[in-house]
Amino acid sequence: MRHSETHLVARIGWLRAAVLGANDGIVSTASLIVGVAAANTGSGSVLVAGVAGLVAGAMSMAAGEYVSVSSQADTEAADLAREASELKADVVAESRELAAIYEKRGLHPDLAHEVAVQLMQADALSAHARDELGIIEETAARPIQAALTSAATFSLGAALPLFTAVVTPKHLLIPIVFGASLAFLALLGGVGAHAGGANITKATIRVAFWGAFAMAITAAIGALFGTAA
């Protein structure tokens, strides 16, 4: 009977993009709303700023993730192409190189050689991609997936403080949006940590602290410019 396991590393690609997108959506939109409200502008201006922040942020996240992860994908593809060329040019030397990697990991030289030979007979490029280059299927770059995930989660994250602002009276907007956004961030940190198998308390505190810091600074700047105006 085969023993099946699900490893958390398989979630790294989409989890990173999802947490980053949602976190940025909450922090940037809440900070924008609080900053504009602190400048003593009307409710309409606050909501327009929030909606603009949601749309612009989602597009920016999608473009940024796509460009960044595409660069990673290009690098991986170049490394794989070079490795394929080296395998074609001198497969014996590549076999010795793979065996040396296994020896460094603790295998006896004879066993390391045998493992390298058998793995290369099955799929030489995959063996070198995994054990020499560190490229595995679970963590391979996926630009479109990262872009769509970031845009969607940013929008969902940004919608939370925006909705809070819509249903909150103007005179209570700053403290309620501030407090609600901290609660959203703490929840996001906990969920992300749980999904990734990390320490929930540490992740929650980290996310909430930097979110509070960002909103406080933006509110201070908004109040300063509002007073100056």
Side-chain angles (χ1 to χ4, degrees):
M1 181 178 179
R2 295 186 60 183
H3 177 56
S4 178
E5 293 183 347
T6 300
H7 295 285
L8 297 175
V9 70
R11 303 174 179 174
I12 286 178
W14 66 262
L15 182 60
R16 170 190 168 276
V19 172
L20 179 63
N23 182 82
D24 280 3
I26 295 172
V27 173
S28 63
T29 306
S31 297
L32 187 59
I33 290 172
V34 168
V36 173
N40 292 319
T41 59
S43 299
S45 298
V46 172
L47 297 181
V48 168
V51 172
L54 186 157
V55 175
M59 296 301 99
S60 176
M61 286 292 295
E65 279 292 314
Y66 184 81
V67 171
S68 174
V69 180
S70 290
S71 297
Q72 179 187 340
D74 291 343
T75 300
E76 291 177 355
D79 279 341
L80 288 173
R82 183 168 56 250
E83 195 63 36
S85 177
E86 292 173 354
L87 284 167
K88 186 176 181 180
D90 194 343
V91 69
V92 175
E94 290 300 305
S95 179
R96 287 198 297 266
E97 184 178 28
L98 196 60
I101 293 173
Y102 299 143
E103 283 186 49
K104 289 181 180 179
R105 294 179 181 176
L107 293 185
H108 186 276
D110 292 339
L111 179 58
H113 172 73
E114 182 62 25
V115 170
V117 168
Q118 291 194 26
L119 287 177
M120 289 184 64
Q121 286 177 346
D123 190 338
L125 184 57
S126 292
H128 280 269
R130 179 181 61 251
D131 295 318
E132 182 183 350
L133 303 177
I135 300 174
I136 60 176
E137 178 64 23
E138 290 80 3
T139 58
R142 296 180 176 85
I144 294 179
Q145 181 191 66
L148 293 177
T149 300
S150 293
T153 54
F154 182 97
S155 298
L156 289 174
L160 295 174
L162 183 58
F163 176 76
T164 303
V166 169
V167 299
T168 300
K170 176 66 167 58
H171 66 286
L172 296 175
L173 192 147
I174 293 177
I176 290 182
V177 169
F178 193 100
S181 297
L182 282 184
F184 297 144
L185 286 170
L187 179 61
L188 174 65
V191 171
H194 177 72
N199 184 287
I200 294 178
T201 301
K202 183 178 179 180
T204 300
I205 293 174
R206 179 175 59 232
V207 171
F209 172 80
W210 288 109
F213 181 78
M215 287 187 285
I217 292 296
T218 310
I221 293 174
L224 177 64
F225 279 89
T227 301

